[in-house]
Amino acid sequence: MRILIIEDEYKLAEVIKARLEKEKYTIDISEDGEEGLYKALSNIYDLIILDIMLPNINGIEILEKINNKIDSKIIMLTSKNEIEDKLTCFNKGANDYITKPFHIDELIARVNKELRPQAKKENEFLEAGNTKLNIKNSTIVCLKTNESVEIIGKEFLLLEYFMNNKNQIIEKEQIYNKVWGIDNEIESNNLEAYLSFLRRKLKIIGSNLNIKAIRGMGYKMEIKDE
């Protein structure tokens, strides 16, 4: 899952990024409100951590501009602790509100709550066809053969994205933005290489998932008949 941190205190943003990466999230940072708004509107983020006091465009304005336009959950992270500020943010679409100073473990707990509200403590997974992706230990398991293999990094992010959008055509640009980030410089053959690795691992365990190239459009994950 990909998270955007819009925070002009760079050292704080880096601390949050490092901690969230240990939770296996993929993180982008924007120190400027204008850049943060541009990235937020791409709608590639599962969650946005948003400060209020930002250069160029403040967090309240960003909330107004993205409200009902994107699917991302929003956690406000700010030193403004007046009840009026909190109510304004909630009324404009924020899902949660944390005031500075804060404990990093509390932020992580709230991020996990927003992104995995129905996940079981010991069994967080996605499932498609005969295949299960365990999010906590980055393992894919074929329910038919009971074979499993570990996937990490970009392979994990790709499979997670496809399983969340099964039977839908996903454009290459959407994949680049979601997995590598908006400012990516990835070449097409790199994507093909990662997809080849992923297909090979799915085949090894006996999965009936097929990631199919759709000429001129992108890719689609289908469930093959067994």
Side-chain angles (χ1 to χ4, degrees):
M1 292 186 174
R2 184 174 288 274
I3 295 174
L4 173 63
I5 301 171
I6 308 178
E7 168 63 68
D8 62 339
E9 294 182 48
Y10 185 73
K11 289 184 178 180
L12 173 61
E14 282 292 322
V15 169
I16 297 171
K17 176 183 178 181
R19 184 66 174 81
L20 286 169
E21 285 178 337
K22 289 184 179 179
E23 301 290 318
K24 299 185 179 179
Y25 294 114
T26 301
I27 312 298
D28 293 331
I29 295 176
S30 287
E31 299 176 67
D32 173 271
E34 194 168 62
E35 179 190 69
L37 174 61
Y38 169 74
K39 289 186 175 181
L41 286 172
S42 69
N43 201 23
I44 67 170
Y45 297 99
D46 301 285
L47 183 139
I48 298 171
I49 297 173
L50 176 61
D51 190 11
I52 290 180
M53 305 301 291
L54 294 165
N56 297 322
I57 301 176
N58 67 47
I60 302 297
E61 292 176 287
I62 291 175
L63 272 179
E64 291 174 341
K65 293 179 184 294
I66 65 177
N67 192 24
N68 297 322
K69 293 182 180 178
I70 64 174
D71 301 320
S72 312
K73 298 293 184 68
I74 312 292
I75 296 180
M76 304 304 295
L77 184 63
T78 175
S79 57
K80 298 175 74 67
N81 59 6
E82 298 296 327
I83 186 64
E84 291 81 4
D85 297 314
K86 295 181 181 181
L87 291 176
T88 296
C89 290
F90 285 127
N91 289 334
K92 293 183 183 298
N95 299 94
D96 204 347
Y97 192 108
I98 303 177
T99 55
K100 302 174 184 176
F102 63 95
H103 196 289
I104 190 68
D105 286 342
E106 179 185 2
L107 175 60
I108 300 304
R110 296 200 187 196
V111 167
N112 289 335
K113 177 178 180 293
E114 291 298 332
L115 292 180
R116 298 168 186 168
Q118 298 177 351
K120 297 178 182 179
K121 290 182 179 179
E122 299 299 329
N123 192 26
E124 300 180 355
F125 62 87
L126 292 173
E127 191 171 329
N130 66 8
T131 307
K132 180 185 292 187
L133 170 63
N134 190 310
I135 294 172
K136 294 199 74 172
N137 63 17
S138 301
T139 301
I140 46 174
V141 180
C142 177
L143 301 176
K144 181 179 180 180
T145 65
N146 207 32
E147 295 291 330
S148 66
V149 65
E150 182 181 21
I151 59 169
I152 59 175
K154 298 295 187 292
E155 292 176 45
F156 175 90
L157 293 173
L158 281 167
L159 184 58
E160 181 185 44
Y161 193 28
F162 277 110
M163 291 182 81
N164 278 321
N165 296 276
K166 53 182 176 290
N167 297 317
Q168 297 182 40
I169 296 175
I170 307 175
E171 297 177 2
K172 285 186 178 181
E173 192 65 27
Q174 290 176 299
I175 297 173
Y176 297 153
N177 290 343
K178 182 69 174 180
V179 177
W180 279 270
I182 290 178
D183 299 324
N184 70 79
E185 297 180 358
I186 180 178
E187 297 180 1
S188 179
N189 59 347
N190 288 338
L191 172 58
E192 289 292 346
Y194 277 107
L195 288 174
S196 177
F197 297 149
L198 183 55
R199 291 187 184 108
R200 190 178 306 158
K201 288 185 177 181
L202 290 170
K203 184 177 181 179
I204 287 172
I205 65 172
S207 170
N208 65 348
L209 300 182
N210 178 41
I211 300 174
K212 181 180 179 181
I214 309 297
R215 184 181 295 274
M217 300 180 70
Y219 298 90
K220 180 180 180 182
M221 190 182 79
E222 300 176 330
I223 300 172
K224 297 180 293 186
D225 294 332
E226 295 189 85

